Amino acid sequence: MTQTLGFFSPWIVYLIITMLHYYLPGKWETGYVKNTETGELLRYRLNGRLVLFTTVFLWFILGYLGWVPYDWLYTIRWYSLAGAFFFGLLFSFWIVLSAPVTDRSWLSDLYLGRMINPQLKGGRLDAKMWLYLIGAVMLELNILSFIAHHYQTYETIAPGLILCGSMLTYFILDYLSFEKVHLYTYDIFAERVGIKLGWGCLAFYPYFYSIAIWATVDLPDPRTPVWLLVCYAIIFLLGWSLARGANMQKYFFKTSPEKSFLGIKPKTISDGNRVLLVNGFWGLSRHINYLGEILMGVAIALSVGYPEVLWVWLYPLYYVALLFPRQIDDDKRCSIKYGDLWKEYIQKVKYRIIPYVY
């Protein structure tokens, strides 16, 4: 019985999140991507932060009443992962096979997807924003459940584990608080919905991103010095500043190109039709936000206090494996899109990700 309930637990949680997302109040936002049929900018109904708070409140109430133990998701973690894995594949196959074929191979379509921005109910349910919401909220529930297990085991919580959980929670809350900003990011305007994005958000994101906690939650407090924890927190905040600052500067530039951001007046180059930003965060490197994501991953890996446990390093290594090839693909796409303007741009912004290094 436990195995069956565990397997279907993520299915039930995903249904609850979907219902909350659909029925709770939300704010309509106009995005950057255009409808391929009408040419009009797509609209999105966003309420991620409210959904997160409501889901966590339900988790707390169910635990307080004794209906669902606080550490239930830890207890059934492997069955839950299997259920999410299978659900992610089912969704990915469905959304790919229900769309018209492309000129690419079937395997390429299955992995990368066919539809770029599928929506239902006029944007009330947008596939990409729904997927990211599901992944973020489920990740938070896993974090809370795992830390609850640690507390029940040791009757205290290791400070490093608190820091790790806090950084991951901040990462989640930050994303859901700035959903409209992410309507202008690479994932939304460039990627399609297939196994990479569908299975990635439904199975990989909510389970893999918690791997530092997963790998060390049964271990005792490593007694990490406070000064080291402060250093890890600073690394995380530096990474967050680069990632969030870059995305916010780009967002303000695209929505209000004449306005300054953090006192940085936009400096641009243009070919008369298209414009590229070349200062501020985007003057440091062409993908400075990627460096920020990697630094946050490193801080999260270090924070649990067990650097000798190789599993914790899979999280930042994943970002390296994901973002460095993405940078190459994105630069190729921009080179085709902007032509000679892109050549001028890379002369002004020489570094790809890491200033003065790469």
Side-chain angles (χ1 to χ4, degrees):
M1 187 64 176
T2 299
Q3 296 178 7
T4 302
L5 284 175
F7 182 87
F8 287 106
S9 286
W11 297 46
I12 297 169
V13 173
Y14 294 171
L15 176 61
I16 293 171
I17 296 171
T18 301
M19 298 297 288
L20 291 174
H21 175 49
Y22 190 84
Y23 288 107
L24 286 178
K27 186 176 181 181
W28 285 94
E29 295 286 349
T30 301
Y32 177 70
V33 178
K34 292 182 179 180
N35 186 310
T36 54
E37 296 180 357
T38 66
E40 297 179 352
L41 293 173
L42 292 176
R43 285 175 55 77
Y44 304 78
R45 185 176 174 276
L46 308 177
N47 58 2
R49 188 167 52 183
L50 180 58
V51 173
L52 174 68
F53 290 157
T54 304
T55 308
V56 171
F57 177 74
L58 290 175
W59 171 85
F60 175 79
I61 292 298
L62 291 174
Y64 181 78
L65 295 175
W67 295 355
V68 180
Y70 285 126
D71 67 341
W72 168 249
L73 290 176
Y74 173 84
T75 303
I76 51 92
R77 62 197 182 280
W78 290 109
Y79 308 124
S80 176
L81 174 58
F85 190 102
F86 189 68
F87 185 86
L89 288 180
L90 279 180
F91 171 83
S92 301
F93 273 89
W94 169 76
I95 201 164
V96 170
L97 296 180
S98 63
V101 298
T102 70
D103 56 358
R104 297 175 305 183
S105 70
W106 183 82
L107 286 177
S108 178
D109 275 357
L110 183 60
Y111 180 69
L112 298 174
R114 290 173 177 170
M115 293 188 287
I116 190 167
N117 279 285
Q119 290 189 331
L120 296 174
K121 302 292 184 180
R124 192 178 183 92
L125 283 176
D126 176 83
K128 287 183 178 178
M129 300 309 291
W130 173 78
L131 285 168
Y132 283 122
L133 176 62
I134 292 287
V137 176
M138 189 66 190
L139 173 59
E140 181 61 27
L141 293 178
N142 280 330
I143 292 166
L144 293 172
S145 182
F146 282 37
I147 292 178
H149 167 77
H150 182 83
Y151 177 77
Q152 291 174 7
T153 302
Y154 294 101
E155 298 184 348
T156 186
I157 304 177
L161 205 57
I162 293 175
L163 177 61
C164 184
S166 298
M167 290 191 294
L168 284 168
T169 297
Y170 186 84
F171 170 82
I172 293 165
L173 183 58
D174 175 69
Y175 179 85
L176 295 179
S177 296
F178 292 96
E179 283 183 297
K180 67 178 182 180
V181 175
H182 292 278
L183 299 178
Y184 292 77
T185 57
Y186 178 88
D187 295 3
I188 302 300
F189 64 75
E191 294 200 342
R192 299 174 186 270
V193 183
I195 285 180
K196 181 182 178 184
L197 195 59
W199 179 87
C201 286
L202 294 169
F204 184 81
Y205 177 17
Y207 292 86
F208 180 81
Y209 276 45
S210 62
I211 194 168
I213 295 178
W214 188 315
T216 59
V217 70
D218 279 320
L219 300 176
D221 183 0
R223 307 293 179 184
T224 306
V226 173
W227 68 270
L228 263 183
L229 294 177
V230 171
C231 288
Y232 301 154
I234 291 173
I235 294 172
F236 178 85
L237 290 174
L238 173 61
W240 172 80
S241 298
L242 292 176
R244 174 55 58 206
N247 286 330
M248 290 298 292
Q249 185 186 5
K250 179 169 65 174
Y251 169 75
F252 277 104
F253 176 67
K254 288 183 179 295
T255 56
S256 304
E258 301 301 322
K259 290 186 178 180
S260 297
F261 172 71
L262 295 179
I264 305 169
K265 187 174 181 178
K267 182 179 179 181
T268 63
I269 57 174
S270 175
D271 61 1
N273 295 315
R274 293 160 297 190
V275 180
L276 290 173
L277 189 63
V278 295
N279 72 327
F281 290 93
W282 296 100
L284 296 174
S285 75
R286 303 200 289 272
H287 301 275
I288 193 67
N289 52 327
Y290 292 178
L291 176 60
E293 300 281 1
I294 294 169
L295 287 175
M296 285 192 286
V298 169
I300 288 169
L302 290 169
S303 64
V304 291
Y306 285 96
E308 69 277 14
V309 176
L310 297 181
W311 293 108
V312 306
W313 292 104
L314 291 182
Y315 182 59
L317 286 175
Y318 157 72
Y319 271 124
V320 172
L322 171 72
L323 297 178
F324 274 73
R326 177 183 285 185
Q327 169 267 309
I328 296 172
D329 291 341
D330 195 27
D331 279 12
K332 288 180 180 177
R333 186 181 62 83
C334 289
S335 178
I336 295 171
K337 179 179 179 180
Y338 294 104
D340 290 338
L341 183 63
W342 183 254
K343 295 178 181 179
E344 181 182 353
Y345 172 71
I346 63 177
Q347 290 298 314
K348 292 183 176 294
V349 185
K350 300 180 183 298
Y351 301 100
R352 302 174 183 182
I353 297 177
I354 308 173
Y356 306 105
V357 176
Y358 174 78

